[in-house]
Amino acid sequence: EADIYQTPRYLVIGTGKKITLECSQTMGHDKMYWYQQDPGMELHLIHYSYGVNSTEKGDLSSESTVSRIRTEHFPLTLESARPSHTSQYLCASSDRGQGGYTFGSGTRLTVV
Amino acid sequence: DAKTTQPPSMDCAEGRAANLPCNHSTISGNEYVYWYRQIHSQGPQYIIHGLKNNETNEMASLIITEDRKSSTLILPHATLRDTAVYYCIVRPWMDSSYKLIFGSGTRLLVRP
């Protein structure tokens, strides 16, 4: 039973389009994260947030941007999609303690 | 942060125990060992974590050596659905700035 939701699950979009990937969690977690993963490759952290109005870039440089206006919502935006952005994007959240991360099912993005 | 070393791949027979090793020889006293798995590009799933005592839950057991330089994740009766990439990660205790960084993990194949 998922407590973190990502939409859409799959997205095929043309080059130059603006897209927003949605991520919402119902657990009240302060911390949220975006990871990017190409098929068969490692997960790379691209953005994270420790709370409302807090966002930071991760270890892998990304042309995407994020916002955190509400605790439960952490959308990722690409202003102008390119084929190089084709990948899977995974959202996660965690609480303040030592609990593990909870991941969403991911959005598989294809830019044509 | 302590780094971990895992074999790139392993296999076991269905119904048998799967023992996945992890070396973390530079682990610090305040770092926990976490295990996650990722089934076929789904979002990673938290399995178990521990500090120095052995831990068991409904999914697996975690055995940490006395010197804490290595650990073993045990799936007592592996099923085909346990085929996945398993990640061993160390993270500091109560470090609110810590971000989960995934390595390449161990690809476990459970054979019928």
Side-chain angles (χ1 to χ4, degrees), chain B:
Chain B
D1 296 337
K3 296 192 183 301
T4 62
T5 304
Q6 300 178 252
S9 64
M10 297 181 63
D11 67 78
C12 75
E14 187 178 20
R16 304 297 294 268
N19 299 295
L20 292 92
C22 179
N23 287 322
H24 30 80
S25 58
T26 59
I27 192 170
S28 300
N30 68 338
E31 289 180 318
Y32 276 65
V33 180
Y34 279 74
W35 284 83
Y36 286 77
R37 73 179 182 183
Q38 187 175 26
I39 298 173
H40 190 54
S41 296
Q42 297 177 18
Q45 176 188 25
Y46 163 80
I47 301 173
I48 198 168
H49 74 281
L51 181 64
K52 56 182 179 180
N53 298 318
N54 297 339
E55 302 288 344
T56 296
N57 63 20
E58 65 277 5
M59 291 182 66
S61 295
L62 174 60
I63 308 298
I64 302 174
T65 58
E66 192 168 344
D67 63 8
R68 303 209 323 122
K69 293 183 183 299
S70 66
S71 60
T72 300
L73 179 75
I74 300 172
L75 308 178
H77 305 285
T79 70
L80 299 179
R81 287 178 293 179
D82 291 321
T83 291
V85 178
Y86 287 78
Y87 300 97
C88 170
I89 301 167
V90 295
R91 63 173 287 190
W93 166 252
M94 293 303 287
D95 182 345
S96 61
S97 66
Y98 184 80
K99 306 173 291 294
L100 209 60
I101 305 299
F102 290 83
S104 53
T106 295
R107 189 172 298 274
L108 174 68
L109 174 64
V110 180
R111 296 177 280 102

